[in-house]
């Protein structure tokens, strides 16, 4: 049945019918892509809810949203991993942070918290170590301004909860036992060999941050691999539910910190749906300008590091950075910051475009960047990379991912499109003015590291094609409004409800699921569908039967940022 709550969307499905409904959606109706799985704590109703966003890869369009509600005291939901392996990490996250158990999940263990952690920190009745209040602005800051430190009322040492029965003597517990238990290896009966399990990371330059891969080897051949993450987990979503709506905009900068403009974009789209906001024309063009420049800057970074992973240390990477620096100069002039831009607002932008960038008139700077410098650099990058003998030898046929597996594992972005799946949110469910622009979805068909490299080069060329169409609109709308009405600092959602906003970020679909009570000034639920996190689902299968040195390359070809993986 339809969700009966005011301004909520989706279908409420009984838990015991979920598998049948999911099977029908996938097999009969073509909704073969499970994009997002969100756990929600409905504490006032003593229920836990799981929200699924499913899409049709072939038809595009909006989601069919399924919701399951179960008893909060014993929340058990059937696992959708048999139908959609892409549910794997997302269900583990909901178990870890909210305590929702997924019956039938093959490997239901914590994924962001450590094994010995007590409790589930996204539950509404869970309190962090220096807890002050449920919602910001805290009374100690506003309206009286009677500021005190949280530690004054909640001193260090008395603010930590320990599991019942826990004694310091238990410190010898092996918290990795479950990780290693998940590695199952069969040996060929005709040969007696020993396998060895080793850790790559967490502190290693080839892991692109604090990230660990537990790898079982037969000689140098990978026979099993499990990603281990969470070292930078900071309970981002809990903090986001304490924040006001506006306070979360700079907070989204810290997810994929190479793509803060795009992170802002997805979040404001989700909240604008709740608010029913309209956006001035100039704002939409500027948002696309920022998003496509971010895509180019991100791919330059990704390709530079991928070459690093292939053994071409530093020099090629620095070649890729020359033009990226110009893009960051522009962001700094527009937003005041090169990376943590905090630039977009609900219904508008923080600022209009600057008058000058690097002492050059802004439109002149952008035309030179888009029409001359970036095309010239791209031609050079292709010449240096595409036919390079070492690049081809190390990447062609390595880390293969079939289109069927890419869809089933909920992969997104260049990882999905390099496997021959031409799915891009900008085309499948257009937002801003992408439907008014002439461009192609970049796609490659071999599903290996080499095609992931090429598809990013292709995407940068399409971004330039988009930018050339955007610049005349910026000229035509100069002086136009950059806000719908007056800027609001205290945002309230009049009728409450839920909304899902998604954008095609450089690393894939970035989605925000938000809910609000009527006149709510803070999100009740703030969930992020993070492409870096979900794309790692495919890492293990892609590495099987490759050598240790290939693992580094395959991980680099996914292009992850740990701020977004761990949140």
């Amino acid at each position: 049945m339809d969700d009966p709550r005011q301004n909520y969307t989706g279908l409420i499905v009984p838990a015991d019918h979920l598998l049948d409904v999911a099977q029908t959606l996938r097999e009969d109706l073509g909704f073969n892509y499970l994009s997002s799985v969100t756990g929600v704590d409905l504490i006032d109703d003593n229920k836990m809810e799981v929200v699924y966003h499913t899409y049709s890869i072939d038809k595009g369009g909006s989601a069919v949203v399924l919701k399951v509600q179960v008893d909060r005291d014993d929340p058990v939901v059937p696992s959708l991993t048999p139908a959609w392996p892409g549910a794997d990490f997302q269900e583990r996250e909901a178990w870890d942070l909210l305590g929702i158990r997924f019956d039938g999940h093959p490997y239901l263990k914590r994924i962001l918290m450590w094994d010995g952690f007590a409790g589930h920190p996204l539950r509404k009745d869970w309190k962090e170590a220096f807890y002050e209040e449920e919602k910001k602005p805290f009374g100690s800051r506003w309206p009286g301004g009677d500021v005190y430190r949280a530690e004054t009322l909640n001193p260090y040492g008395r603010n930590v909860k320990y599991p019942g029965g826990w004694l310091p003597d238990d410190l010898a517990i092996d918290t990795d036992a479950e990780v290693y238990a998940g590695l199952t290896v069969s040996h060929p009966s005709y040969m007696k060999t020993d396998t060895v399990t080793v850790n790559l990371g967490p502190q290693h330059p080839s892991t692109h941050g604090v990230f660990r891969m537990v790898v079982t080897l037969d000689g140098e051949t990978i026979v099993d691999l499990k990603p281990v993450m969470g070292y930078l987990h900071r309970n981002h979503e809990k903090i986001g539910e304490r924040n006001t709506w506006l306070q979360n905009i700079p907070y989204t900068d810290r997810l994929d910190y190479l793509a803060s403009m795009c992170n802002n974009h997805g979040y404001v789209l989700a909240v604008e749906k709740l608010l029913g906001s309209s956006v001035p024309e100039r704002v939409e063009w500027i948002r696309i300008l920022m998003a496509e420049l971010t895509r180019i800057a991100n791919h330059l970074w990704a390709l530079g590091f991928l070459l690093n992973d292939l053994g071409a240390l530093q020099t090629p990477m620095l070649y890729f950075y020359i033009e990226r620096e110009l893009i960051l100069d522009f962001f700094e002039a527009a937003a005041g910051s090169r990376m943590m831009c905090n630039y977009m607002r609900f219904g508008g932008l923080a600022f209009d475009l600057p008058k000058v960038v690097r002492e050059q008139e802004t439109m002149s700077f952008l035309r030179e960047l888009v029409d001359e410098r970036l095309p010239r650099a791209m031609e050079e990058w292709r010449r240096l990379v595409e036919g390079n003998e070492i690049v081809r030898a190390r990447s062609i046929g390595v880390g293969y991912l079939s289109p069927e597996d890419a869809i089933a594992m909920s992969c997104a972005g260049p990882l999905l499109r390099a496997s021959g799946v031409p799915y891009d949110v900008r085309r499948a469910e257009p937002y801003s003015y992408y439907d008014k622009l002439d461009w192609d979805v970049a796609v490659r068909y071999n599903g290996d590291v080499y095609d992931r490299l090429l598809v990013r080069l292709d995407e940068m060329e399409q971004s330039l094609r988009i930018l050339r169409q955007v610049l005349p609109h910026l000229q035509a709308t100069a002086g136009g409004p950059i806000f719908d009405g007056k800027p609001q600092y205290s945002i309230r959602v009049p009728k409450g409800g839920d909304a899902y906003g998604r954008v095609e970020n450089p690393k894939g679909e970035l989605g925000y699921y938000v809910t609000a009570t009527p006149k709510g000034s803070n999100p009740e639920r703030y969930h992020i569908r993070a492409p870096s996190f979900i794309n790692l689902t495919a890492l293990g299968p892609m590495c099987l039967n490759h050598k240790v040195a290939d693992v580094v390359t395959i991980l680099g070809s996914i292009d992850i940022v740990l701020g977004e993986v761990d949140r």
Side-chain angles (χ1 to χ4, degrees):
M1 68 172 186
D2 290 336
D3 190 331
R5 294 170 290 184
Q6 185 184 25
N7 288 330
Y8 277 75
T9 56
L11 303 168
I12 304 282
V13 178
D16 54 353
H17 291 172
L18 178 63
L19 285 175
D20 292 337
V21 173
Q23 191 83 2
T24 301
L25 261 184
R26 194 177 69 118
E27 302 295 336
D28 301 336
L29 301 178
F31 282 80
N32 55 347
Y33 187 70
L34 177 62
S35 171
S36 176
V37 179
T38 308
V40 184
D41 185 359
L42 304 175
I43 189 169
D44 293 337
D45 300 326
N46 199 38
K47 291 178 181 175
M48 283 287 177
E49 183 179 66
V50 184
V51 182
Y52 304 89
H53 286 81
T54 67
Y55 293 90
S56 170
I57 290 285
D58 296 330
K59 298 174 187 173
S62 56
V64 169
V65 183
L66 304 180
K67 297 175 178 176
V68 175
Q69 296 179 349
V70 291
D71 181 11
R72 188 174 186 270
D73 297 327
D74 184 23
V76 182
V77 177
S79 172
L80 289 188
T81 51
W84 281 298
D88 182 355
F89 285 13
Q90 301 188 72
E91 288 182 351
R92 284 178 61 190
E93 180 186 3
W95 156 248
D96 188 2
L97 302 184
L98 286 155
I100 301 170
R101 200 166 72 251
F102 291 88
D103 196 19
H105 191 289
Y107 189 59
L108 192 64
K109 65 178 294 294
R110 290 190 181 276
I111 192 166
L112 294 174
M113 308 304 292
W114 61 95
D115 291 344
F117 187 83
H120 303 283
L122 260 184
R123 285 196 168 211
K124 290 293 185 186
D125 50 3
W126 188 89
K127 304 287 191 293
E128 61 270 28
F130 289 108
Y131 172 81
E132 282 193 63
E133 292 179 35
E134 281 300 309
K135 304 290 185 186
K136 293 178 183 174
F138 294 149
S140 65
R141 276 78 158 177
W142 179 267
D146 182 20
V147 178
Y148 59 83
R149 291 170 65 88
E151 298 92 311
T152 306
L153 301 180
N154 202 4
Y156 178 76
R158 283 189 285 165
N159 60 344
V160 182
K161 294 178 182 175
Y162 298 99
W166 181 85
L167 294 172
D169 297 345
D170 294 338
L171 283 174
I173 289 174
D174 181 1
T175 57
D176 274 352
E178 288 190 42
V179 174
Y180 298 131
L183 295 163
T184 55
V185 179
S186 60
H187 301 272
S189 59
Y190 58 87
M191 185 183 297
K192 280 193 172 181
T193 59
D194 289 330
T195 57
V196 59
T197 298
V198 299
N199 287 287
L200 303 182
Q203 307 290 346
H204 192 280
S206 294
T207 59
H208 289 242
V210 190
F211 176 71
R212 181 161 63 117
M213 293 172 278
V214 180
V215 182
T216 299
L217 301 169
D218 183 359
E220 284 215 20
T221 303
I222 309 293
V223 293
D224 203 353
L225 183 149
K226 297 288 183 197
V228 181
M229 57 200 83
Y231 296 94
L232 300 178
H233 180 64
R234 54 205 185 277
N235 217 356
H236 178 108
E237 294 179 8
K238 184 79 166 187
I239 298 170
E241 290 167 14
R242 299 237 190 279
N243 283 343
T244 65
W245 296 101
L246 195 62
Q247 285 174 329
N248 275 339
I249 294 177
Y251 208 47
T252 65
D253 292 341
R254 277 76 179 167
L255 292 167
D256 174 0
Y257 44 77
L258 303 175
S260 68
M261 290 286 191
C262 297
N263 302 344
N264 287 181
H265 199 180
Y267 177 63
V268 298
L269 284 180
V271 179
E272 283 167 359
K273 281 185 183 179
L274 277 177
L275 295 171
S277 304
S278 58
V279 177
E281 180 186 356
R282 181 168 176 78
V283 171
E284 295 287 23
W285 293 122
I286 293 177
R287 286 180 178 182
I288 295 175
L289 169 77
M290 297 302 185
E292 295 310 313
L293 286 174
T294 299
R295 196 176 317 281
I296 293 171
N298 176 89
H299 286 356
L300 293 176
W301 179 283
L303 295 176
F305 268 96
L306 181 55
L307 293 174
N308 228 29
D309 294 334
L310 286 166
L313 294 175
Q314 307 300 332
T315 304
M317 189 170 69
L318 294 173
Y319 265 94
F320 278 90
Y321 283 5
I322 297 171
E323 270 66 30
R324 178 177 177 272
E325 287 299 303
L326 297 176
I327 294 173
L328 298 191
D329 285 344
F330 172 65
F331 287 169
E332 184 177 4
S337 174
R338 300 172 74 78
M339 294 181 71
M340 306 293 118
C341 294
N342 182 20
Y343 184 62
M344 298 188 191
R345 296 290 183 269
F346 310 125
L349 303 166
F351 312 102
D352 202 342
L353 296 181
K355 292 182 179 176
V356 294
V357 182
R358 293 169 65 98
E359 300 180 350
Q360 185 177 357
E361 191 271 329
T362 295
M363 290 307 297
S364 167
F365 173 87
L366 288 172
R367 278 192 291 269
E368 183 181 331
L369 182 67
V370 170
D371 293 335
E372 299 175 29
R373 294 205 58 142
L374 284 170
R376 189 166 59 236
M378 281 186 193
E379 190 178 334
E380 185 181 23
W381 299 328
R382 274 204 187 273
R383 184 171 55 79
L384 290 173
V385 172
E386 220 167 17
N388 184 286
E389 186 178 347
I390 297 174
V391 170
R392 293 174 67 88
R394 290 291 314 278
S395 61
I396 291 178
V398 175
Y400 174 69
L401 181 66
S402 71
E404 295 80 14
D405 285 345
I407 295 170
M409 295 185 198
S410 305
C411 297
L415 180 64
L416 177 68
R417 292 188 286 275
S419 289
V421 183
Y423 188 81
D424 187 311
V425 178
R426 293 172 294 174
R427 177 61 49 81
E429 192 180 8
Y431 51 93
S432 290
Y433 286 158
Y434 279 106
D435 56 345
K436 301 177 186 295
L437 297 164
D438 183 23
W439 59 283
D440 296 318
V441 176
V443 61
R444 294 273 174 165
Y445 296 93
N446 294 313
D448 56 12
V449 169
Y450 188 63
D451 271 21
R452 282 171 220 139
L453 188 157
L454 294 184
V455 84
R456 290 186 173 97
L457 289 171
D458 298 342
E459 285 190 10
M460 286 194 285
E461 290 176 349
Q462 292 302 319
S463 291
L464 277 184
R465 194 172 158 193
I466 290 170
L467 288 169
R468 289 192 192 100
Q469 297 168 65
V470 168
L471 293 187
H473 290 289
L474 293 178
Q475 192 80 54
T477 58
I482 59 157
F483 236 100
D484 177 36
K486 291 183 178 179
Q488 299 288 321
Y489 299 100
S490 179
I491 307 291
R492 291 185 182 274
V493 177
K495 297 179 182 177
D498 71 348
Y500 184 68
R502 60 176 188 153
V503 291
E504 187 65 39
N505 254 32
K507 296 174 177 63
E509 177 186 332
L510 173 72
Y512 295 88
Y513 178 71
V514 289
T515 70
T517 56
K519 298 183 180 178
S521 56
N522 312 70
E524 279 300 302
R525 185 70 179 98
Y526 163 78
H527 174 68
I528 297 147
R529 189 256 185 233
S532 292
F533 175 69
I534 298 174
N535 283 349
L536 280 172
T537 310
L539 176 62
M542 287 196 297
C543 290
L544 291 183
N545 300 317
H546 285 295
K547 304 298 182 189
V548 173
D550 295 324
V551 171
V552 177
T553 308
I554 294 167
L555 176 64
S557 74
I558 298 176
D559 182 23
I560 61 167
V561 161
L562 267 299
E564 185 177 77
V565 172
D566 288 351
R567 285 161 285 138

